[in-house]
Amino acid sequence: MALIVHKYGGTSVGNIDRIHKVADRVAQAHRAGDQVVVVLSAMSGETDRLLKLAHEATPNPDDRELDMLLSTGERVTIALLAMDLRGRGINARSFTGRQVGIITDSAHTKARIARVTAERLHEALKHGVIPVVAGFQGINEQSDVTTLGRGGSDLSAVALAAALKADRCIIFTDVDGVYTADPNVVPAAKRIDKISYEEMLEMASLGAKVLQTRSVEFAAKFNVPVEVNSSFKEGKGTLVTREDADMESVAVAGVTGDRNQAKITIVGVPDKPGIAAKIFGPVANANINVDMIIQNMGLDSLTDLSFTVPRADLRKATPLIQGVAKDISAKSVSVTEAIAKVSLIGVGMRSHSGVAAKMFEVLSHEGINIHMISTSEIKISCVVDEKYMELAMRALHTAFGLDQPTK
C-alpha cells in the first residue's frame, strides 16, 4: 500500500463532468489499495472572476479581505468532489487549509508556509477516509485566512506530501509532463522523462508554468518525488527527483521564455556605500522580487542602476522607486515593459564549457540584441526585446540539439 497525494489543477476540475473524471481516477487508486490524499484548485477562471469582483468593489482591495474572498474558490471544488466520491460509496471528506493545519506567515496573497500539522489528515487516513483538501490556502498565527499566491495549490500538495511522508506527489494538470520548451512556442519540444529538482526549479522560476516555484523548493528540501502528469489522458509523465549521472550528460535540458518581466533603470545614482541598500530595502519590504541587477559606471561619481521585477509588481514598484530616487538625489527613473527573458537550463552546464558563448552566437546570428545577462551554475538568462522571445527560443532549442528525438 502506497500513500500518494493527488493534486488537480483548475482545468482538471473546470466543470462537473471533469470533477466526475477526477473522482474516477481517485476511486481507481483507492480500489488498487493506495491511500490517497487529494488537493484541489478552484475551477479554472474562478480566481480571476473573484479578483474582478474585488476590483469592482474597490480599486485597491485590502489584502486580508482579498484572501478571505479568494479562498472560497477551492471550497466549492473540494465539497463537490467529496460529494461525488461519497455518492459512489467511498468514504471521503473535504477539508480547508485551516482544518488540515497549514500554518503560514502573514504575507497576505503570497504567504509562505511555516509548518503543517496534518493531524486531521492522519486521523482521516487511519479510519480509511479519503481527505479532499483545499489547495492555495492556510491560516496565519492569528487564525486569519491566507493564500499562497498563483499556483499555490502545487505548494499545498507538496507540503502535505512532506508532512505525511507520502511515497509520491502526483500533480495532474492539462499537460502530460515537463517539456524541453513550451510546445505552443517550440513545436519540436520533447517531453522529459526525468528532471532534477534544481533544473525544475530554474525552469519554473524562469517562465515554465508547469509547476509553481515554491512547490519545487519544498519538494527538494524534503525530498518529495513529484510526478507531473495529465488529467486528460493515460500515460507516463515527468518525474522530478534528485539529480543523477544521466542528467549531467546533457549540457542543456530546456529552454524557457518569460514575458512577465519589466526593467526599471535609475539614472544618475550617487556611487557611494549604502545606496544599494537604500534602493532595494524598500523593494524587499514591499514583497517585490528583484531578479537581474546591472550597474553601469558613469561620470562624476554617478552610476546607472538597472534591475528587473515581475511585470505584475510594476505598478507597486514604480512609485516606490521614484520616491527612493528622489531621496538619494538620482536624476531620473525609466521603465521598460516590452522585454522578455530567455533562458537555458541544465545541470550538465557544470561539466560542459562554451554554453554561454554558443547562446550569444545564436542570438547574434538571429539579429537579437541582449540587454541584460544573468548566470548561475545551471542556467544562463538573457533579457531581449519581447518581440524576439519566441524566435530566440526556437533558435536556441535547435542549436542545442533539443529538437532531436530522445534516445
Side-chain angles (χ1 to χ4, degrees):
M1 179 186 292
L3 172 55
I4 301 174
V5 174
H6 284 201
K7 181 267 174 177
Y8 295 90
T11 53
S12 304
V13 292
N15 54 47
I16 289 295
D17 285 342
R18 290 184 176 181
I19 288 174
H20 288 327
K21 287 183 171 59
V22 169
D24 289 341
R25 194 182 290 267
V26 173
Q28 182 181 7
H30 176 70
R31 287 194 298 269
D34 290 334
Q35 286 185 302
V36 184
V37 176
V38 186
V39 177
L40 300 183
S41 298
M43 290 182 176
S44 54
E46 179 64 8
T47 301
D48 287 336
R49 185 186 74 83
L50 293 171
L51 276 170
K52 184 180 177 183
L53 286 174
H55 285 95
E56 287 174 357
T58 177
N60 295 297
D62 177 77
D63 284 346
R64 180 190 180 278
E65 302 309 323
L66 198 56
D67 274 355
M68 185 67 80
L69 176 67
L70 297 182
S71 67
T72 63
E74 285 71 22
R75 295 186 183 209
V76 173
T77 52
I78 61 170
L80 290 172
L81 181 61
M83 290 174 188
D84 187 318
L85 290 169
R86 292 179 72 85
R88 300 167 186 238
I90 298 172
N91 196 359
R93 186 171 300 164
S94 62
F95 296 92
T96 65
R98 171 197 293 265
Q99 289 171 326
V100 298
I102 297 178
I103 313 300
T104 75
D105 62 16
S106 295
H108 285 288
T109 75
K110 53 176 77 171
R112 299 186 72 85
I113 294 176
R115 65 184 190 280
V116 179
T117 63
E119 291 174 6
R120 294 189 69 177
L121 291 185
H122 284 295
E123 190 67 18
L125 291 168
K126 180 181 174 182
H127 290 92
V129 175
I130 295 179
V132 183
V133 183
F136 178 64
Q137 61 184 253
I139 58 166
N140 63 18
E141 297 291 354
Q142 291 74 45
S143 293
D144 291 326
V145 174
T146 57
T147 63
L148 308 177
R150 286 286 184 178
S153 293
D154 288 351
L155 178 57
S156 300
V158 173
L160 290 174
L164 295 168
K165 295 181 171 53
D167 296 287
R168 183 168 294 195
C169 177
I170 307 177
I171 307 292
F172 289 100
T173 181
D174 53 357
V175 296
D176 62 348
V178 180
Y179 278 69
T180 51
D182 182 347
N184 296 313
V185 175
V186 183
K190 304 291 188 297
R191 184 177 55 77
I192 302 169
D193 290 332
K194 186 166 60 173
I195 190 170
S196 72
Y197 292 125
E198 282 185 281
E199 289 171 323
M200 190 67 247
L201 181 57
E202 292 285 10
M203 291 182 77
S205 66
L206 295 169
K209 298 178 175 63
V210 180
L211 285 176
Q212 190 230 35
T213 307
R214 286 189 292 154
S215 70
V216 184
E217 290 177 343
F218 220 97
K221 182 177 180 180
F222 294 98
N223 194 28
V224 178
V226 176
E227 183 180 329
V228 180
N229 217 322
S230 171
S231 295
F232 304 110
K233 62 182 181 181
E234 297 295 329
K236 191 177 178 182
T238 297
L239 179 64
V240 186
T241 186
R242 284 190 279 193
E243 179 184 333
D244 61 31
D246 290 342
M247 297 173 185
E248 292 185 358
S249 65
V250 179
V252 175
V255 181
T256 62
D258 183 7
R259 287 190 173 90
N260 181 34
Q261 297 290 313
K263 182 173 73 170
I264 299 176
T265 300
I266 310 176
V267 179
V269 177
D271 186 21
K272 56 186 182 183
I275 289 295
K278 288 183 179 179
I279 293 171
F280 294 111
V283 175
N285 291 337
N287 288 316
I288 298 170
N289 290 324
V290 172
D291 185 14
M292 299 187 187
I293 303 173
I294 290 181
Q295 180 172 305
N296 299 314
M297 292 304 298
L299 300 173
D300 303 322
S301 297
L302 297 177
T303 184
D304 296 342
L305 189 68
S306 297
F307 57 94
T308 59
V309 298
R311 200 176 292 183
D313 288 332
L314 188 59
R315 183 180 297 180
K316 182 165 57 171
T318 301
L320 187 64
I321 294 300
Q322 288 170 337
V324 170
K326 185 177 180 181
D327 290 342
I328 63 175
S329 301
K331 290 183 178 180
S332 63
V333 174
S334 65
V335 173
T336 306
E337 289 191 62
I339 62 168
K341 182 166 59 177
V342 178
S343 306
L344 298 178
I345 300 102
V347 293
M349 288 187 193
R350 295 190 183 116
S351 54
H352 289 74
S353 61
V355 175
K358 185 174 180 178
M359 181 182 191
F360 303 152
E361 182 182 342
V362 169
L363 295 179
S364 173
H365 180 75
E366 298 293 340
I368 300 171
N369 189 42
I370 300 171
H371 299 292
M372 305 173 82
I373 301 168
S374 174
T375 66
S376 75
E377 273 193 317
I378 67 166
K379 66 97 173 163
I380 305 168
S381 297
C382 295
V383 169
V384 300
D385 291 335
E386 184 179 11
K387 63 184 178 181
Y388 294 124
M389 186 192 82
E390 295 187 4
L391 171 62
M393 289 177 65
R394 287 191 289 268
L396 291 167
H397 196 272
T398 299
F400 283 91
L402 297 176
D403 291 359
Q404 304 302 316
T406 53
K407 294 179 181 180

